[in-house]
Each structure stands twice: as C-alpha cells, then as structure tokens.
Amino acid sequence: MSIKKTLLVSALVLTLLCVSCVSLTEGGKTVNYVTKQEAPAECELVSEVDTGYSPAGSVADVKVLLRNATAEAGGNFLVIDTFEKGYNSSGGQYYLGNGRAYECPEG
C-alpha cells in the first residue's frame, strides 16, 4: 500500500473513531465549574444551559458541552445540575446534562 493511501486510510479511521469527540472552545476553556454545590454568592445567573440534542459519549463530553454553552451564554462559571445516561434504539449509551451559567467577578 502506498504511503498516500496509508495516510488516507489512517485519517479516515481516526475520523470515524472520533465521531463523538468533543472539544472545548476558547471560551469554554475559561469556564470554571462545580457539581453538587451552588455558585459563589457574588455571581449572577446568566441562563440555564444543557447539552440539547447533542448526546455526548461520556460524562467528560457533557462537561465540555456545558462549559462551551456557558461561554456562549456569556458566563464564566457553571453549576452542573444533572447528568443523565440513556440508551439509543441500537443499545448504544449516551449522556445528557444540564446546569446553570453564571457570570462571576474576575479575580
């Protein structure tokens, strides 16, 4: 097999393996988060956030999606309220989640 063909096949395999890969946006990287506790008193609620119809492949993916959604809403702090595990019709599992986006003072 030629090197070009090998590289193409490798790229295709990596793409297929990463179908559910989720990555932090630049804004999402600036969002701090907590679970099982409330936001600091000096923070202001911006909006509720959820994973929407983008089921994640893991709890880690849910955290990334919620952090990205918080940044998009103008927040810099996330309170994660729920993680929900479900199964699709073919038996594969997925995760959904929701939380609250806050804007907190820097520093």
Side-chain angles (χ1 to χ4, degrees):
M1 190 183 302
S2 72
I3 292 177
K4 194 173 187 179
K5 196 171 190 178
T6 301
L7 289 174
L8 182 61
V9 169
S10 297
L12 178 61
V13 168
L14 287 174
T15 300
L16 291 174
L17 289 174
C18 198
V19 167
S20 69
C21 289
V22 179
S23 60
L24 280 170
T25 61
E26 287 303 311
K29 291 176 184 177
T30 67
V31 174
N32 294 314
Y33 69 91
V34 295
T35 59
K36 299 182 182 179
Q37 65 187 52
E38 290 300 317
E42 65 273 10
C43 298
E44 185 175 326
L45 180 65
V46 175
S47 73
E48 293 188 8
V49 292
D50 62 45
T51 57
Y53 294 105
S54 299
S58 69
V59 170
D61 287 350
V62 169
K63 291 176 184 176
V64 169
L65 290 169
L66 292 175
R67 288 174 69 189
N68 290 344
T70 296
E72 288 175 25
N76 61 2
F77 192 86
L78 166 67
V79 173
I80 299 174
D81 292 321
T82 64
F83 294 108
E84 182 180 327
K85 183 177 180 179
Y87 296 91
N88 61 28
S89 60
S90 62
Q93 71 181 24
Y94 62 88
Y95 295 86
L96 300 172
N98 66 52
R100 292 168 279 141
Y102 289 85
E103 183 176 7
C104 299
E106 299 287 328

